[in-house]
Amino acid sequence: MLITHDTRCALDTVVDLVNTAPEDDAAADGLPDVEALAVFVRGHAVSDVGVLSEFDLSAVRKVRGRFARIFAAPDARAAAGLINELVAAAGTTPRLTDHDGYDWHVHYFAPGASLADHLAADCGMALAFFVVAGEQERLRRCEAPDCRRAFVDLSRNRSRRYCDSRTCGNRLHVAAYRARRKESESAG
């Protein structure tokens, strides 16, 4: 599957956005205030964003929840329905642009769109490309029992199971090794 630069940026943005959500009521929100939202926007080089407000923060959190449901969708049909609702509500308006030194690419948000609509349109379309390509199963959650972070599996054979093999994957492999070793010691 060919993934263009702007699609890859949108995928990284949506994954990072979904992963700002608290995993339970005891966890902190990764977007606790407008300043954190501004840092997120700068960190992801989201273009055409004006002054952010509490309204933007609330709207982005709602969009974040809708994206989380896409990552949890059981199949392509369910994901497609959620994506269709998301991008339609954002007032998607495809247009070609070559801003900030980037070659021609497509923005899907309308000029002057709110940050939430901007993210819903551009990131929603990036996820739509995966559904269209028959690759919806690449939109995953980490399989580590203590982690449910979202990620996009871009491995050649669709075999990635963890959000980060150095942390979640390694932690599980070490735990399995220790359990096997403990079992062999008690049997011996």
Side-chain angles (χ1 to χ4, degrees):
M1 175 176 183
L2 174 67
I3 301 175
T4 62
H5 171 73
D6 52 315
T7 299
R8 180 59 193 255
C9 290
L11 290 172
D12 291 344
T13 301
V14 71
V15 164
D16 289 348
L17 178 62
V18 168
N19 289 333
T20 65
E23 292 189 31
D24 57 42
D25 292 335
D29 193 310
L31 294 176
D33 53 36
V34 175
E35 179 55 33
L37 180 60
V39 168
F40 180 88
V41 166
R42 285 191 303 274
H44 288 86
V46 179
S47 61
D48 295 333
V49 176
V51 176
L52 298 172
S53 67
E54 288 293 330
F55 175 82
D56 292 303
L57 178 62
S58 176
V60 167
R61 285 177 175 166
K62 287 177 185 166
V63 166
R64 175 181 69 184
R66 295 180 83 178
F67 279 128
R69 288 192 289 282
I70 294 166
F71 276 84
D75 56 40
R77 183 164 305 284
L82 293 167
I83 292 168
N84 283 340
E85 290 173 11
L86 184 70
V87 298
T92 308
T93 308
R95 61 191 166 91
L96 289 168
T97 183
D98 67 343
H99 64 90
D100 297 327
Y102 293 107
D103 286 336
W104 290 105
H105 59 282
V106 179
H107 280 189
Y108 294 94
F109 61 94
S114 70
L115 175 59
D117 285 346
H118 177 144
L119 294 172
D122 274 5
C123 296
M125 290 305 299
L127 296 177
F129 297 143
F130 275 77
V131 174
V132 167
E135 302 285 353
Q136 179 264 336
E137 73 277 0
R138 289 183 182 269
L139 309 177
R140 298 192 174 162
R141 291 289 190 155
C142 185
E143 291 182 19
D146 58 340
C147 179
R148 296 298 301 151
R149 291 178 61 84
F151 68 94
V152 178
D153 179 3
L154 297 177
S155 67
R156 184 177 297 234
N157 62 359
R158 299 176 189 92
S159 62
R160 188 170 160 199
R161 298 174 52 206
Y162 307 110
C163 64
D164 186 343
S165 61
R166 290 183 309 259
T167 54
C168 290
N170 192 45
R171 195 170 55 243
L172 284 176
H173 290 117
V174 168
Y177 169 78
R178 287 180 179 159
R180 285 191 308 272
R181 190 168 170 176
K182 184 178 179 180
E183 186 178 302
S184 69
E185 287 173 359
S186 63

